[in-house]
Amino acid sequence: MEDENTSTIGVDLGGTKIEVAQVNISGQVLRRKRLPTRVNEGPAAIQSEIAETVLELQKQADTMPIGIGIGVAGQVDPVSGVVHFAMNLGWRDVPIRDVLSEALRLPVFVTNDVRAATWGEWVHGAGQGCDDLICLFVGTGIGGGVVSGGHLLTGCSNTAGELGHMVVDLHGPLCNCGNRGCMEALAGGWAIARSAREAVENNPSAGSVLLQEAGGNPERISAATVARAVRKGDPLALKLIESATEALVSGAVGLINAFNPCRLILGGGVIEGLPELVDRIDRGVRQRALAAASAPLQILPSQLGNQAVAIGAAIMAMRELTVKDPD
Ligand SMILES: [Zn+2]
């Protein structure tokens, strides 16, 4: 029934930007549009902006997309299509699937952003042809997905993939989840920024390069600021990234020993800002993971970059609509 002209729309709905892309069955982006997320205007305005953007892409298209997939930065229920909680959007219990399918008269599928990105990397990115892989996305937070035996794991209550909340330091710093020492609390973008601010406050002279990169305002220090200071060889920034890398290695070792993937795919803003982390994590993992688990392992950077969520969400919708007997 489907041919190479079959396409779906993928939407990456994040706290700062929305990416809408029409993607064909081969994973090629046919057309796309990016817009800022006007969080202050609330869910209704954002949903109508998404609907308008989809209509705009449809007008340019030769063939109509058959459905829409949405990857949301938050907790979603894929069965009801409701976004239960999205911190960066300030959303609670928003029935985005029903709103958009009514507005656009197309089937809509909802998942979270990192799971969509895992689909993208698995089917059309660095995970192609591999049935056992883990994607670890290190952005502001840390999340990912585990594909085992050709299945993307969802878990008992659909929360599988919260890889960032694996504890790597029993007495480590407090995490947003309430626990201590999560990988995210040591190596997520927000945690790198927090450690950098603390270090600058404790020792302003050692922190002079970081402070300068942040325009003199410690509140403006972000993970990207730290990455820029690393480029300049700043010893404090190098030390901060060294300790974040150790946390990522510990987390990766746990995942590799637990799931024995053939590939570990690393993506997200922190990795994109410091691509050398891929090799450093690779070296650390080979020293510390069980030899039988790490021998066949490949560690690769993500291929789809910041388009992974939109492409993955589109693929997920395509699969729901064209695979007759999933799993
Ligand atoms: Zn946590």
Side-chain angles (χ1 to χ4, degrees):
M1 191 167 61
E2 62 272 8
D3 60 33
E4 62 193 24
N5 293 318
T6 307
S7 69
T8 50
I9 299 273
V11 180
D12 174 0
L13 172 54
T16 55
K17 54 125 183 74
I18 301 167
E19 170 109 8
V20 183
Q22 187 185 8
V23 179
N24 72 10
I25 202 159
S26 314
Q28 285 171 311
V29 175
L30 304 174
R31 47 190 61 75
R32 54 188 277 265
K33 189 171 176 189
R34 176 176 285 210
L35 47 151
T37 314
R38 290 189 242 272
V39 173
N40 294 338
E41 294 181 14
I46 290 173
Q47 290 173 105
S48 17
E49 258 193 313
I50 293 173
E52 279 163 30
T53 309
V54 171
L55 289 171
E56 205 180 307
L57 293 190
Q58 278 181 3
K59 272 190 207 140
Q60 302 161 14
D62 311 323
T63 53
M64 277 287 286
I66 60 170
I68 298 172
I70 306 179
V72 185
Q75 293 160 15
V76 303
D77 180 346
V79 177
S80 65
V82 171
V83 178
H84 284 309
F85 178 57
M87 191 169 67
N88 296 334
L89 293 164
W91 285 16
R92 274 190 193 278
D93 299 324
V94 177
I96 190 168
R97 181 192 67 194
D98 291 353
V99 170
L100 289 181
S101 60
E102 187 148 314
L104 294 163
R105 304 271 159 215
L106 281 173
V108 175
F109 303 90
V110 186
T111 189
N112 78 28
D113 56 352
V114 280
R115 200 168 290 167
T118 300
W119 271 110
E121 289 294 338
W122 181 22
V123 181
H124 294 297
Q128 284 177 66
C130 181
D131 276 346
D132 287 277
L133 63 89
I134 294 177
C135 287
L136 186 62
F137 298 104
V138 188
T140 306
I142 299 180
V146 177
V147 174
S148 185
H151 297 274
L152 177 54
L153 303 185
T154 54
C156 174
S157 55
N158 197 46
T159 70
E162 294 286 359
L163 310 182
H165 299 288
M166 187 163 50
V167 174
V168 294
D169 179 356
L170 284 183
H171 307 289
L174 202 58
C175 183
N176 287 336
C177 72
N179 202 350
R180 282 194 174 275
C182 298
M183 173 162 56
E184 177 172 313
L186 291 147
W190 66 262
I192 293 173
R194 176 177 69 180
S195 309
R197 280 183 218 120
E198 283 171 8
V200 167
E201 274 162 28
N202 292 338
N203 189 343
S205 72
S208 62
V209 173
L210 278 170
L211 206 50
Q212 194 186 352
E213 287 295 325
N217 180 357
E219 290 304 310
R220 286 181 54 197
I221 293 175
S222 65
T225 316
V226 180
R228 286 200 303 276
V230 165
R231 294 272 160 275
K232 295 190 164 176
D234 176 47
L236 176 57
L238 288 163
K239 205 173 119 207
L240 289 163
I241 292 303
E242 182 60 45
S243 90
T245 307
E246 274 177 37
L248 292 171
V249 169
S250 296
V253 165
L255 290 167
I256 286 153
N257 289 344
F259 293 103
N260 184 206
C262 302
R263 292 183 202 163
L264 172 67
I265 297 164
L266 298 168
V270 170
I271 302 287
E272 277 163 29
L274 293 162
E276 66 269 29
L277 290 186
V278 176
D279 282 342
R280 289 171 61 184
I281 292 167
D282 191 310
R283 281 198 298 277
V285 161
R286 287 185 201 287
Q287 282 166 11
R288 294 176 49 193
L290 294 172
S294 63
L297 176 72
Q298 287 181 292
I299 300 187
L300 303 167
S302 121
Q303 258 179 28
L304 303 183
N306 61 13
Q307 295 214 71
V309 177
I311 293 174
I315 291 166
M316 180 194 66
M318 181 75 78
R319 181 174 178 274
E320 293 283 348
L321 290 162
T322 58
V323 176
K324 279 157 203 73
D325 184 20
D327 303 319

